[in-house]
Amino acid sequence: MDAVPVGLVGAGPWADMVHAPALAAGPHTRLAGVWARRPEAAAELAAKHGVPAFERLEELFDVCSAVAFSVPPAVQAELGVLAAKAGKALLLEKPLAADLDGAKRLADAIGAAGVASQMVFTFRYSPVTRAFLERARAIEPFGGYAANISGALHGGPFATPWRLERGALLDVGPHMIDLLDAALGPVTAVRAHGDPLAWVGLLLEHESGAVSEASLSMAATGEVPPSRVDVYGRKGNASLPATELGDGLFTTMAAEFAETVRRGGGHPLDARHGLRLQEIIHEAERQLG
């Protein structure tokens, strides 16, 4: 079966570390080319993988059947609409957009075009996570707790303008909410307190009647514990430390995306799922003011 040709939009650190090598490695996908707002960055990343860099986004669309995005959320929402209208399947980063309106426009454009979509929720592509979720559902869960604490805002490749402005809730919030949502049932309500640039606490209510909490920060200093999710139920408990996710996450992601493209959709982590999480984050941000 031929590899799916995927064009990459973006040439920043995450594109360099994850998207480009995962898509280029195959065998299910083939990196077809790179476009970025900074042509010199696109050229440098494309050269590393022996593929062309394009000056115009439409030229990238011409050589691929799917597009992967590694750009700030607001840019993804804008350019993702163009890719959907061009009939391309989309591999999307979280969050889906910078705001709820942008997320709705992108999800609606994908639906109207009838193209496939899939989101990069890193944890979800690990067999350890999948075993955790299977265990969590089997213990008749009634509560859970998630924590994602780092010092990313203090510098390094992820101290980017949108993260420095919006903080932990918009960046790592989707990961933790997604995992609690998957383990305990769909989130139906959220209460938030704190400061996204310091510490945010979330209290989530689930359709199942379960409740959960999440602690989020990207402003910590010194050594911090690894991210983790714990779920408790009437028949036991289940834990997911981020240190146990293992290797091969993005190989799995690329293989599943290729299958999503070939099948024409149907992945559970699609843009509509991303929109539902964005609605929760939007409400939490509203409460935080």
Side-chain angles (χ1 to χ4, degrees):
M1 189 174 293
D2 291 340
V4 173
V6 184
L8 177 58
V9 172
W14 193 240
D16 185 21
M17 290 187 286
V18 171
H19 287 77
L23 296 170
H28 304 283
T29 58
R30 172 176 62 83
L31 184 61
V34 181
W35 178 90
R37 293 174 296 171
R38 294 182 296 120
E40 66 281 5
E44 182 178 353
L45 181 57
K48 288 178 66 172
H49 297 279
V51 300
F54 296 97
E55 293 186 2
R56 297 175 58 249
L57 184 59
E58 295 77 10
E59 293 174 329
L60 179 68
F61 292 164
D62 287 341
V63 301
C64 65
S65 56
V67 181
F69 289 86
S70 184
V71 291
V75 179
Q76 174 169 273
E78 175 188 352
L79 301 183
V81 169
L82 300 180
K85 289 181 176 179
K88 308 303 174 183
L90 288 81
L91 182 63
L92 298 158
E93 268 296 340
K94 57 81 218 162
L96 189 60
D99 54 39
L100 186 56
D101 287 343
K104 286 179 178 177
R105 283 194 299 272
L106 178 52
D108 287 346
I110 290 169
V115 296
S117 64
Q118 183 175 318
M119 296 196 67
V120 183
F121 284 102
T122 310
F123 287 78
R124 292 285 218 115
Y125 297 100
S126 168
V128 175
T129 301
R130 291 171 178 181
F132 159 77
L133 291 175
E134 185 175 350
R135 164 72 176 160
R137 294 165 188 146
I139 61 174
E140 297 182 9
F142 52 73
Y145 174 69
N148 194 311
I149 313 300
S150 76
L153 296 183
H154 295 303
F158 302 115
T160 53
W162 71 269
R163 291 182 174 92
L164 292 170
E165 178 185 355
R166 303 286 289 280
L169 181 56
L170 192 64
D171 186 19
V172 298
H175 283 305
M176 299 296 100
I177 297 169
D178 170 62
L179 289 169
L180 290 169
D181 183 271
L184 296 165
V187 173
T188 57
V190 58
R191 281 175 277 171
H193 63 98
D195 177 354
L197 298 181
W199 187 282
V200 171
L202 303 177
L203 176 61
L204 304 172
E205 298 177 14
H206 299 260
E207 188 176 81
S208 63
V211 294
S212 63
E213 299 169 57
S215 296
L216 311 171
S217 179
M218 297 170 66
T221 57
E223 189 172 350
V224 297
S227 300
R228 66 180 296 115
V229 182
D230 298 297
V231 173
Y232 301 89
R234 295 172 182 84
K235 296 182 178 179
N237 57 75
S239 296
L240 176 66
T243 52
E244 297 181 7
L245 295 181
D247 300 322
L249 303 179
F250 299 107
T251 300
T252 300
M253 175 200 73
E256 291 189 9
F257 182 55
E259 180 59 25
T260 298
V261 176
R262 294 187 182 109
R263 192 173 56 240
H267 198 279
L269 303 178
D270 63 6
R272 284 291 166 186
H273 178 70
L275 173 59
R276 190 165 63 82
L277 296 183
Q278 191 107 27
E279 289 171 343
I280 298 164
I281 291 168
H282 174 78
E283 173 57 21
E285 287 191 315
R286 186 192 67 79
Q287 293 177 24
L288 295 174

